[in-house]
């Protein structure tokens, strides 16, 4: 049996294509799972739901605001649900999700409006957000978040 270069090249190409397509399918399932968690997080922020926010975050959360203030999980949840302001809207525009092993890098354009409880003043925010999610068992949880003013 003789194998010529053309047959060898075609078989190598077929094996390479198969090897590349299998991780892509797994990444797609993980990307969908992360996307669901990101949306659940957005809804929990709007609702100011401490239980939902707590379930979506790692205990070692590092949550950084565009002001440079960094909060741990407990402080973030307390401040996000203290009633001093409420979100009228939050949109995560143009999201991208890249899964790398047990980590996911999520980026999006944040456009939101808050109403301050003290004076009823409406405050718009326009940010770029970077989130890092990490897989814990079968669940994805937020490990860190950073915001930059646009």
């Amino acid at each position: 049996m003789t194998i010529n270069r053309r047959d060898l090249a075609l078989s190598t190409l077929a094996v390479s294509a198969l090897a590349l397509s299998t991780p892509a399918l797994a990444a797609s399932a993980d990307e969908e799972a992360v996307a669901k968690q990101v949306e659940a997080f957005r809804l929990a922020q709007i609702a100011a739901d401490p239980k939902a926010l707590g379930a979506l975050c790692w205990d070692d959360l590092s949550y950084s605001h565009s002001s440079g203030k960094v909060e741990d999980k407990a402080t973030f949840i307390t401040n996000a649900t203290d009633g001093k302001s409420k979100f009228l809207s939050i949109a995560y525009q143009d999201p991208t999700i890249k899964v790398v092993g047990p980590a996911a890098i999520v980026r999006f354009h944040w456009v939101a409006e808050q109403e301050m409880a003290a004076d009823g003043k409406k405050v718009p925010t326009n940010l770029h957000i970077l989130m890092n999610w990490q897989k814990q068992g079968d669940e994805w949880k937020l490990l860190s978040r950073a915001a930059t003013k646009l």
Side-chain angles (χ1 to χ4, degrees):
M1 171 182 200
T2 59
I3 298 176
N4 62 36
R5 286 186 197 166
R6 181 176 163 261
D7 292 336
L8 183 60
L10 287 174
S11 64
T12 302
L13 240 154
V15 169
S16 296
L18 181 61
L20 290 174
S21 67
T22 304
L25 292 174
S28 293
D30 278 338
E31 286 171 4
E32 285 181 34
V34 171
K36 287 179 184 175
Q37 292 295 85
V38 169
E39 178 61 7
F41 189 84
R42 185 185 75 82
L43 295 173
Q45 284 182 299
I46 293 170
D49 182 341
K51 186 175 179 182
L53 289 170
L56 290 162
C57 299
W58 274 92
D59 289 340
D60 293 326
L61 175 69
S62 177
Y63 194 93
S64 177
H65 294 271
S66 61
S67 66
K69 182 172 79 171
V70 178
E71 299 171 329
D72 62 13
K73 180 179 179 177
T75 306
F76 160 66
I77 292 171
T78 297
N79 291 338
T81 61
D82 64 8
K84 291 181 182 175
S85 68
K86 71 176 180 177
F87 282 107
L88 302 175
S89 64
I90 301 175
Y92 290 1
Q93 298 177 347
D94 305 318
T96 62
I97 298 171
K98 181 174 181 168
V99 174
V100 183
I105 302 165
V106 178
R107 296 178 183 270
F108 54 87
H109 180 188
W110 157 296
V111 179
E113 185 175 41
Q114 285 177 277
E115 183 176 60
M116 299 298 136
D119 58 7
K121 182 179 177 184
K122 293 181 180 173
V123 179
T125 51
N126 185 14
L127 308 170
H128 182 266
I129 303 294
L130 168 64
M131 290 179 151
N132 293 293
W133 292 76
Q134 191 167 40
K135 201 167 191 178
Q136 185 178 47
D138 291 334
E139 289 187 299
W140 289 92
K141 295 197 177 223
L142 182 63
L143 179 61
S144 66
R145 182 251 199 198
T148 304
K149 289 179 185 173
L150 293 176

